[in-house]
């Protein structure tokens, strides 16, 4: 294990990254021992480690990040209707709770995930290198998913098996969505549902005020952070 020191050269960063990626220590614990921020250690793992390894959890429950586009959280909401199940795949910025990409489908297949990635990768700001965290669903271990993330230089992080609380950021957003948008409503067809859901996501990002963002919307919170 790397020893604490005042300055960190490239070889030291590589060694620390391997400790985290190899599962020897959690990023949060090693960062505390080295006297650095866990976000710094996650960045080292992203820069010097192997991305797209489904065994790696770069987040370890530390969803409180200091800036936008550092940590994105992925998940799928299962929405039951009288006509069957509908599926919302969404990626949320952990810093401002903004939905940065989403797709809706009647089947949770790779076609839906690739559409999500198409939309998501269009929105990655120049120079940004976010960590994308998810559970261990089969979609996130699929070769098409891991290959495209690696090509885009987005580090993949996955929860440990059976840790249902480690994806709390998406579950909070999905919970509000079901309470505020879906519960008690019906739609004549999938296209009507999809159009209304798209409108709700825009509402969530631009008009829905949130206690965790000091009463601001995700877009207002983003503007405030840019000024600060």
């Amino acid at each position: 294990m790397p020893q604490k020191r005042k300055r960190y050269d490239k070889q030291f960063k590589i060694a620390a990254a391997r400790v985290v990626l190899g599962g020897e220590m959690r990023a949060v614990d090693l960062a505390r021992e080295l006297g650095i921020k866990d976000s710094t250690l996650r960045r080292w793992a992203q820069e010097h480690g192997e991305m797209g390894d489904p065994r790696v959890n770069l987040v370890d429950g530390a969803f409180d990040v200091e800036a936008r586009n550092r940590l994105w959280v992925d998940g799928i909401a299962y929405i039951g209707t009288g006509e069957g199940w509908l599926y919302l795949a969404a990626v949320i910025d952990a810093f401002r709770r903004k939905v940065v990409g989403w797709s809706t489908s009647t089947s949770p297949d790779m076609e839906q995930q690739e559409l999500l990635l198409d939309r998501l990768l269009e929105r990655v700001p120049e120079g940004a290198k976010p960590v994308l965290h998810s559970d261990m669903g089969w979609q996130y271990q699929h070769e098409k998913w891991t290959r495209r993330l690696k090509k885009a230089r987005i580090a993949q992080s996955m929860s440990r098996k059976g840790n249902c609380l480690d994806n709390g950021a998406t579950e909070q957003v999905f919970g509000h969505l079901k309470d505020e948008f879906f519960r008690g409503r019906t739609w004549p067809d999938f296209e009507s549902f999809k159009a209304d859901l798209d409108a709700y996501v825009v509402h969530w990002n631009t008009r829905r005020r949130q206690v965790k963002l000091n009463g601001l919307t995700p877009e207002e919170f983003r503007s405030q952070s840019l000024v600060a």
Side-chain angles (χ1 to χ4, degrees):
M1 181 182 66
Q3 299 298 310
K4 183 176 181 180
R5 60 178 73 176
K6 292 183 178 180
R7 299 187 66 180
Y8 304 102
D9 56 24
K10 182 177 180 180
Q11 293 303 315
F12 182 89
K13 293 178 182 179
I14 291 174
R18 286 175 176 172
V19 169
V20 175
L21 295 172
E24 297 175 41
M25 289 185 69
R26 298 192 313 160
V28 173
D29 296 333
L30 181 56
R32 185 183 301 113
E33 185 166 324
L34 296 176
I36 61 176
K37 295 180 179 180
D38 58 280
S39 59
T40 299
L41 185 55
R42 288 198 297 269
R43 188 178 71 250
W44 291 356
Q46 178 180 345
E47 293 173 351
H48 302 292
E50 289 296 324
M51 295 185 294
D53 185 343
R55 296 171 300 175
V56 175
N57 186 338
L58 298 176
V59 178
D60 288 318
F63 292 103
D64 293 328
V65 292
E66 301 169 347
R68 66 191 187 282
N69 298 317
R70 288 191 179 178
L71 175 60
W72 291 349
V73 189
D74 197 354
I76 301 175
Y78 294 66
I79 303 173
T81 72
E83 301 299 322
W85 289 95
L86 299 175
Y87 305 90
L88 169 66
V91 174
I92 297 156
D93 188 321
F95 175 67
R96 50 191 169 137
R97 299 298 192 270
K98 179 180 179 179
V99 181
V100 293
W102 71 96
S103 65
T104 312
S105 176
T106 55
S107 177
D109 52 24
M110 279 310 299
E111 182 178 351
Q112 178 185 26
Q113 294 301 313
E114 291 201 85
L115 177 58
L116 171 62
L117 273 181
D118 289 341
R119 295 173 175 175
L120 186 66
L121 296 181
E122 290 176 352
R123 295 177 169 87
V124 180
E126 185 176 353
K129 293 182 179 180
V131 171
L132 181 56
H133 183 77
S134 69
D135 60 25
M136 294 189 72
W138 67 268
Q139 298 95 331
Y140 311 123
Q141 300 185 57
H142 197 284
E143 185 269 340
K144 290 182 178 179
W145 181 267
T146 59
R147 173 169 45 83
R148 292 189 65 185
L149 290 183
K150 188 171 184 178
K151 183 178 180 180
R153 303 295 298 170
I154 295 177
Q156 185 177 9
S157 171
M158 300 182 76
S159 300
R160 292 179 179 84
K161 188 174 183 180
N163 190 350
C164 60
L165 299 178
D166 199 29
N167 233 20
T170 51
E171 294 305 318
Q172 290 175 7
V173 175
F174 289 158
H176 285 297
L177 181 147
K178 290 179 179 179
D179 286 338
E180 300 171 11
F181 166 74
F182 171 73
R183 204 173 304 282
R185 298 181 62 185
T186 59
W187 287 264
D189 50 51
F190 172 71
E191 290 304 321
S192 299
F193 170 85
K194 183 177 181 299
D196 287 350
L197 180 57
D198 288 345
Y200 177 82
V201 173
V202 173
H203 165 81
W204 174 271
N205 286 339
T206 61
R207 296 189 295 276
R208 200 330 187 138
R209 301 188 179 278
Q210 302 183 34
V211 174
K212 289 192 174 183
L213 301 183
N214 300 321
L216 302 176
T217 71
E219 280 299 314
E220 289 172 340
F221 193 73
R222 170 184 178 275
S223 299
Q224 184 184 75
S225 66
L226 287 174
V227 173

